[in-house]
């Protein structure tokens, strides 16, 4: 039988373990199909994004904030694009420099206390990075295929309809800039429509919104 001293030691260890585990407690924040996205996974994705792509990426401390909810929406979007890419066996170039990217994330975040608290395993980090890279690659592919060249006539019509924006600058001076703008607008519109289709197809839910 436990004596009093042994019982106290056991209670201390139990309490200590609960305190340690409390640092990495995770909650469900979203769902894409059968995959549930946790707050821990979302934070891992945000840190990877910050290190590799957008240094200005905010890592919210308040997981109940609107900022974090919006970040979760972006991660959900990555997941639906990733699943769509997988359905087309679209995994062309994501492995290029994959291990190099992994090492960079580990090196940059090694002494970040908030990252350390997540206790990310090597396998988890590989999974997070794979989803991110495949999604970005597939979006780039879809964006390229969505481009339909804007004609001179379309550009000139836009110029004439928005002359107040351009002042006295002649159309020929602005033609290429207008074409580039209309191309970007066209791609953005088509991608937005595609994303909406994917959200519906993969039964998306953001539990924070």
């Amino acid at each position: 039988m436990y004596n009093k001293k042994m019982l106290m030691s056991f209670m201390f260890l139990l309490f200590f373990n609960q305190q340690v585990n409390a640092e990495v407690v995770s909650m469900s924040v979203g769902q894409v199909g059968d995959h549930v996205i946790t707050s821990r996974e979302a934070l891992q994705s945000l840190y990877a994004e910050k290190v590799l792509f957008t240094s200005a990426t905010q890592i919210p401390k308040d997981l109940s904030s609107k900022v974090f909810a919006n970040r979760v929406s972006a991660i959900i979007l990555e997941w639906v694009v990733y699943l769509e890419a997988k359905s087309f066996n679209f995994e062309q170039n994501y492995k290029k420099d994959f291990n190099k990217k992994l090492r960079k994330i580990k090196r940059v975040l090694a002494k970040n206390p908030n990252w350390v608290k997540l206790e990310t395993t090597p396998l988890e980090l590989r999974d997070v990075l794979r989803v991110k890279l495949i999604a970005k690659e597939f979006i780039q592919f879809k964006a390229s295929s969505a481009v339909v060249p804007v004609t001179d006539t379309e550009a000139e019509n836009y110029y004439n309809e928005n002359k107040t924006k351009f002042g006295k600058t002649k159309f020929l001076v602005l033609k290429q800039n207008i074409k580039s703008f209309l191309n970007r607008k066209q791609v953005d519109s088509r991608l937005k429509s595609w994303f909406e289709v994917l959200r519906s197809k993969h039964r998306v839910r953001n539990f924070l919104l």
Side-chain angles (χ1 to χ4, degrees), residues 27-38:
M27 62 180 180
S28 298
V29 294
Q31 186 169 355
V32 180
D34 296 327
H35 178 75
V36 175
I37 298 171
T38 65

Side-chain angles (χ1 to χ4, degrees), residues 32-85:
V32 180
D34 296 327
H35 178 75
V36 175
I37 298 171
T38 65
S39 56
R40 183 164 169 269
E41 179 186 347
L43 288 169
Q44 290 166 341
S45 180
L46 289 176
Y47 275 110
E49 182 76 22
K50 185 177 182 67
V51 171
L52 296 178
F53 301 105
T54 313
S55 60
T57 298
Q58 288 181 278
I59 310 295
K61 293 182 179 179
D62 181 3
L63 302 189
S64 63
S65 68
K66 184 71 172 180
V67 173
F68 185 64
N70 289 336
R71 295 293 181 271
V72 169
S73 292
I75 293 164
I76 286 173
L77 183 58
E78 278 189 347
W79 257 94
V80 296
V81 174
Y82 164 74
L83 291 177
E84 192 70 5

Side-chain angles (χ1 to χ4, degrees), residues 120-175:
T120 304
T121 67
L123 181 58
E124 285 174 329
L125 184 55
R126 293 184 74 87
D127 287 344
V128 165
L129 185 56
R130 184 178 69 252
V131 170
K132 186 174 293 294
L133 294 181
I134 290 175
K136 287 182 182 297
E137 183 183 353
F138 198 45
I139 289 173
Q140 186 175 7
F141 167 76
K142 292 293 288 188
S144 298
S145 62
V147 174
V148 176
V150 174
T151 65
D152 288 354
T153 300
E154 288 171 326
E156 189 168 7
N157 288 339
Y158 181 84
Y159 172 84
N160 290 329
E161 291 168 5
N162 297 274
K163 275 189 174 181
T164 55
K165 293 181 180 180
F166 306 121
K168 296 181 179 180
T169 309
K170 300 296 184 182
F171 169 68
L172 290 178
V173 176
L174 297 170
K175 183 172 73 171

